Amino acid sequence: MKTNPNTINLMSTDRKRIVVKVGSNVLTHSDGTPNVTNMSALVDQIAEIHSAGHQVVVVSSGAVACGRGAIEPSRQLDPVESRQLFSAIGQIRLMNIYSNLFGLHNIVIGQVLTQKENFSSRTSYLNQRGCMLTMLENGVVPVVNENDTASLTELMFTDNDELSGLIATMIDATMLVILSNVDGIYTGDPADSSSQLIARVSADDNLSDYVSETKSGFGRGGMGTKCNTARKVASEGVMVVIAKGDRRNVLTDLINCPDSVPHTLFVPSSEPLSKVKRWIAHSGSFAKGSICVNDQAAEMLRSEKALSLLPVGVVSTDGSWEAGDIVAVVDSKGQRIAVGKAAVDSAQTVQTMGCHGQRPIIHYDYLYLE
């Protein structure tokens, strides 16, 4: 594990596509009111990046927190009612602030409210992608948030870290910057002077001893979800950086002089996934069923060979699906080892399982190994 300052140049002079995720604890004060000072500083930096020719997407938390500081409910609300009320009020306040701040730089923004189920269908996924790419091509800065007024608890994103990862891979971003309330991942409590900032994380680095799931302030996610998102997105070929959101000039420094600002860099895979596999990689929660494979098939799938899932290795199924649906692949212990787009339905899978000489149940091109 390296803790020395990294020497990788995060950005070159080439035009890039950058996703910036900003958490509630960066955007709001402790009482829930918008932290306009922080927001203004970030917008100024994004405007500078935008004027240099880079395309920027902002994934912004803060709606619920902004709404919470604006009204006192007339009665005790349950968690769903509370989230819906505060997000409906707060999203307007949040976007008005963004619109005014970006307007000072003559930059037009566009609001994108989305839900997790919008990523479940390949058609919906591509529609969202097309919309955002059109916005970027026309110089618009998309500001993305989850539609909390309509999202059900069981179908919500873990937090906006997860959403930012989906957006980054969906639009083929070069870089995802997750702005937090700390400089990155430490070897201990960030408040402990003996803890060191981990400057660079590679695919084989184990962070389990260092990452805490503790949440703070108004945000839903802790450093654990940030780390999980960063690892997954980096494995798909996107550079990921975690840095402190209220540090002066954090974004412009990361681009122009990365060694001057503390941060944790997740090194991207040198073999990026195809566009369809990027979609499948984030579709596990939409699986219509699961396919259990024997130990030999599990071992072969986990190997470095490019293999499709064949019926001969299947021992059982659970659930019902049609051809084209997302299904999970599990080993004999029930551990998920892959997610894929089924080439055949569940009935045909059951009919052919254990048989040789049959067409693949999931072709390698549509199989994401976890």
Side-chain angles (χ1 to χ4, degrees), residues 159-173:
D159 51 36
N160 270 357
D161 298 315
E162 180 186 8
L163 174 57
S164 69
L166 280 162
I167 296 297
T169 55
M170 182 178 73
I171 66 170
D172 303 320

Side-chain angles (χ1 to χ4, degrees), residues 243-266:
K244 197 169 189 294
D246 61 0
R247 183 175 289 279
R248 181 178 174 83
N249 297 326
V250 59
L251 290 176
T252 50
D253 284 349
L254 280 172
I255 291 174
N256 299 321
C257 187
D259 289 338
S260 69
V261 56
H263 62 275
T264 297
L265 166 69
F266 286 76

Side-chain angles (χ1 to χ4, degrees), residues 76-199:
Q76 183 68 35
L77 303 178
D78 65 37
V80 173
E81 291 175 326
S82 175
R83 191 182 69 249
Q84 290 176 332
L85 174 65
F86 293 143
S87 66
I89 297 168
Q91 186 66 27
I92 295 173
R93 300 182 78 202
L94 190 66
M95 291 302 296
N96 278 337
I97 296 170
Y98 274 129
S99 181
N100 290 332
L101 291 175
F102 275 105
L104 296 175
H105 300 277
N106 296 316
I107 295 175
V108 176
I109 66 168
Q111 177 177 256
V112 178
L113 291 177
T114 188
Q115 298 169 247
K116 195 168 187 177
E117 53 263 45
N118 295 144
F119 292 85
S120 63
S121 154
R122 180 66 175 163
T123 299
S124 296
Y125 179 89
L126 291 176
N127 283 341
Q128 284 190 106
R129 182 178 188 273
C131 173
M132 294 186 67
L133 292 182
T134 300
M135 294 169 73
L136 291 172
E137 289 167 4
N138 285 277
V140 175
V141 173
V143 180
V144 187
N145 198 1
E146 182 170 13
N147 187 0
D148 287 310
T149 62
S151 296
L152 299 174
T153 301
E154 62 270 21
L155 292 176
M156 291 179 68
F157 297 105
T158 304
D159 51 36
N160 270 357
D161 298 315
E162 180 186 8
L163 174 57
S164 69
L166 280 162
I167 296 297
T169 55
M170 182 178 73
I171 66 170
D172 303 320
T174 310
M175 180 182 185
L176 167 62
V177 180
I178 299 176
L179 296 179
S180 180
N181 56 355
V182 292
D183 286 316
I185 298 175
Y186 284 81
T187 57
D189 186 342
D192 187 340
S193 60
S194 65
S195 298
Q196 290 182 290
L197 179 66
I198 299 171

Side-chain angles (χ1 to χ4, degrees), residues 284 286-291 317-321 325-329:
F286 305 115
K288 296 293 183 65
S290 63
I291 299 170
T317 67
D318 182 49
S320 177
W321 64 87
D325 285 341
I326 297 295
V327 294
V329 181

